[in-house]
Amino acid sequence: MSPAEAPPPPAAPTVALVTLGCQRNEVDSEELAGRLAADGWTLTAEAEDADVVMVNTCGFVEAAKKDSIDTLLAAADLKDGGKARAVVAVGCLAERYGTELADALPEATVLGFDDYTAISERLQAAMRGDAHAPHVPRDRRALLPISPVERQATAPTTAVEELSAWTGPASGPRPLRARLEGGPVAPLKLASGCDRRCSFCAIPSFRGAFVSRRPAELLAEAAWLAESGVRELVLVSENSTSYGKDLGELRLLELLLPKLAEVDGLERVRVNYLQPAEMRPSLIEALTATPKVVPYFDLSFQHSSADVLRRMRRFGDTDRFLGLIEQIRVRAPRAGIRTNVIVGFPGETEADLIELERFLIGARLDTVGVFGYSDEDGTEAANLDGKVDPDEVRARVEHITRLVEELTNARAEDRIGEQVAVLVEENDAFRYPGADEHGEASAEGRAAHQAPEVDGSTILIGGEPEVGQIVTATVVGTDGVDLIATLPGVS
């Protein structure tokens, strides 16, 4: 056959990744996308156009599980009536339930974390219709050595020596990661897993023990993200305050932050997921005094009643937590502080709820997520006595939510007159509440105290700011926890 008669090469298979849940899942999806792109797959944003629809699921709470199942079923509809040849479930729900999910959802191929290194092969098999034996879930906390000495044994240098010797991204391999969405903000995963044993949380059982990533790997990935246009780096993990403890240096985060801030192109570094019980003066100092590191504290309080916290297998109480917040605000009075709280935990009394109210009123937080307790499979709390009636849980959620809205709206109003540095994320003209009073919006972004997805945003009035630019604006109004701010030249 002559070259002219040779058949065209087969088209590269296409895959659409649908990501649910937290920013840690976003990183996982981009790492999977990087592996697939390296193996010749074409990534598409449209599930309708894909040969394979892969759903990175969330398995944290009941609402997230339902959302994951609904998304998988919607993808299965594409398989029945469209181009899609396979639907694949990955992520926390898939890992946590394995065979059980596969039996309940035969339309999808269910893969576990151990399949990620061979993801291209697994998707090819799914397209062919090959049978896949789903994994039997197991407690992943026992799969890795816990001792820092054991984990460190294979490393040629200590983590601190790595930081000292860092010479730039050219000294190491490029990250195996492909950005699925543009924009000036991206998460960077510090670690995987968790060594804490909160009685309500199943994450450690399916995410495994806490394992820090090597500093050189993080710095190389940060440099790669900056080269792709990222201006704000959001450090994520199950527990960022623990970073480095398994590498033999508990203060490694404090040492890493200045190095990340020096990466060319980055303008902001933000740390999410901090454990109040593990906060230390040196970390507070690093988060409030390191140039380009924003004074932002995403503190996982969960409750403030000492009795409830003990049943949660957590530590602290209202006065200790208020003392921690005071330590932060002494160093950075305008620091952003947010948290999540769980109400209706087994054994929670009216007195416990009043104690939580005392904390929230005294803390003056910028954002609070309020969640009602529900049993989670395999957790200690699911077997505790003193369960609160579901109707009462809902009533408590509504009560605390109303209080939180009042308090966080007032906290936002406290910022009127303040000058804020805003990272511009969108600059399309749009209407917003208060437009007639303050003027047309020119852009939307986030001030230093506002993290992506979980906090409010800042509407900008005036000027022509570009996406990725950090501009200084004056707060002139609020809409709930969102700020309205004017750029220079706007009266």
Side-chain angles (χ1 to χ4, degrees):
M1 182 181 292
S2 67
E5 297 172 331
T14 56
V15 57
L17 279 79
V18 181
T19 305
L20 306 174
C22 64
Q23 290 177 311
R24 300 184 293 275
N25 255 17
E26 291 179 28
V27 178
D28 288 351
S29 286
E30 293 192 348
E31 290 177 353
L32 289 168
R35 291 181 182 277
L36 291 168
D39 282 338
W41 289 74
T42 297
L43 306 174
T44 176
E46 302 300 328
E48 294 82 0
D49 300 331
D51 295 310
V52 177
V53 181
M54 184 161 63
V55 181
N56 191 352
T57 60
C58 179
F60 184 43
V61 294
E62 284 303 318
K65 296 177 196 175
K66 183 180 184 305
D67 190 22
S68 294
I69 295 296
D70 289 346
T71 304
L72 286 166
L73 290 172
D77 289 341
L78 296 176
K79 180 180 174 182
D80 290 340
K83 177 182 178 182
R85 295 160 61 187
V87 175
V88 175
V90 296
C92 291
L93 187 74
E95 175 63 39
R96 185 175 180 183
Y97 292 102
T99 50
E100 183 181 343
L101 179 63
D103 290 342
L105 200 68
E107 302 94 333
T109 298
V110 177
L111 303 179
F113 295 152
D114 292 337
D115 291 306
Y116 283 14
T117 55
I119 191 66
S120 178
E121 179 183 335
R122 298 291 186 269
L123 297 197
Q124 292 280 7
M127 281 201 305
R128 292 193 301 266
D130 296 352
H132 175 75
H135 65 282
V136 176
R138 52 182 171 166
D139 190 334
R140 297 186 68 88
R141 289 172 291 192
L143 299 184
L144 286 169
I146 302 300
S147 165
V149 174
E150 289 182 87
R151 293 187 190 178
Q152 189 77 350
T154 58
T157 60
T158 69
V160 175
E161 288 171 339
E162 276 187 22
L163 285 172
S164 300
W166 174 252
T167 58
S171 63
R174 306 302 292 174
L176 192 61
R177 179 175 171 183
R179 293 202 71 197
L180 295 174
E181 296 184 7
V185 184
L188 177 66
K189 186 188 286 189
L190 288 173
S192 295
C194 184
D195 287 342
R196 301 187 69 86
R197 296 294 182 268
C198 300
S199 64
F200 57 83
C201 184
I203 288 176
S205 65
F206 58 85
R207 276 287 181 182
F210 187 88
V211 182
S212 300
R213 295 177 66 191
R214 302 293 304 187
E217 181 183 348
L218 292 170
L219 288 164
E221 190 166 322
W224 173 78
L225 288 167
E227 288 172 5
S228 72
V230 170
R231 294 295 169 260
E232 178 176 321
L233 206 60
V234 183
L235 307 186
V236 299
S237 70
E238 272 73 27
N239 176 11
S240 297
T241 36
S242 281
Y243 177 68
K245 71 177 185 180
D246 55 323
L247 299 179
E249 176 51 76
L250 184 58
R251 296 175 301 138
L252 193 57
L253 182 56
E254 291 96 299
L255 302 175
L256 177 67
L257 287 172
K259 289 288 188 179
L260 287 171
E262 292 171 3
V263 171
D264 189 37
L266 292 181
E267 296 297 332
R268 275 186 183 170
V269 179
R270 182 185 306 275
V271 184
N272 279 3
Y273 306 110
L274 303 171
Q275 280 289 344
E278 296 183 22
M279 289 300 295
R280 46 198 179 268
S282 61
L283 181 53
I284 295 175
E285 184 67 20
L287 291 171
T288 56
T290 306
K292 295 188 178 180
V293 175
V294 295
Y296 178 80
F297 294 80
D298 175 19
L299 291 162
S300 176
F301 289 117
Q302 303 298 350
H303 212 284
S304 73
S305 162
D307 290 341
V308 172
L309 288 166
R310 297 306 174 270
R311 287 192 290 274
M312 289 180 170
R313 293 203 180 277
R314 297 174 67 87
F315 304 95
D317 55 41
T318 296
D319 292 329
R320 291 183 188 180
F321 290 165
L322 291 178
L324 172 59
I325 290 171
E326 179 63 20
Q327 291 179 50
I328 292 168
R329 288 187 173 143
V330 164
R331 292 171 172 80
R334 311 307 289 176
I337 307 177
R338 80 170 314 277
T339 196
N340 294 321
V341 296
I342 299 173
V343 298
F345 192 79
E348 182 189 62
T349 65
E350 288 293 337
D352 294 325
L353 202 65
I354 291 171
E355 188 68 1
L356 177 59
E357 292 174 9
R358 182 169 80 88
F359 166 69
L360 293 170
I361 293 168
R364 297 170 53 246
L365 303 172
D366 293 279
T367 315
V368 181
V370 183
F371 298 89
Y373 171 81
S374 61
D375 288 338
E376 281 296 311
D377 297 337
T379 62
E380 179 184 352
N383 297 315
L384 290 178
D385 56 12
K387 294 291 174 61
V388 180
D389 182 82
D391 289 339
E392 177 61 21
V393 172
R394 284 190 289 272
R396 293 182 186 186
V397 168
E398 292 173 2
H399 171 68
I400 295 297
T401 298
R402 286 194 298 270
L403 174 63
V404 160
E405 288 178 352
E406 178 183 340
L407 294 170
T408 54
N409 290 353
R411 176 67 174 164
E413 291 171 1
D414 287 344
R415 295 186 184 273
I416 293 176
E418 180 181 337
Q419 282 200 328
V420 291
V422 180
L423 174 63
V424 179
E425 295 181 329
E426 295 182 36
N427 59 1
D428 295 330
F430 58 92
R431 299 285 295 179
Y432 70 99
D436 294 334
E437 178 182 356
H438 299 291
E440 286 290 334
S442 61
E444 183 175 9
R446 289 176 299 98
H449 71 282
Q450 296 169 323
E453 300 181 16
V454 294
D455 297 332
S457 63
T458 299
I459 306 298
L460 293 171
I461 311 298
E464 298 180 353
E466 297 181 359
V467 172
Q469 184 180 4
I470 293 182
V471 298
T472 300
T474 303
V475 179
V476 295
T478 65
D479 177 26
V481 296
D482 295 334
L483 304 182
I484 301 167
T486 57
L487 291 167
V490 178
S491 57

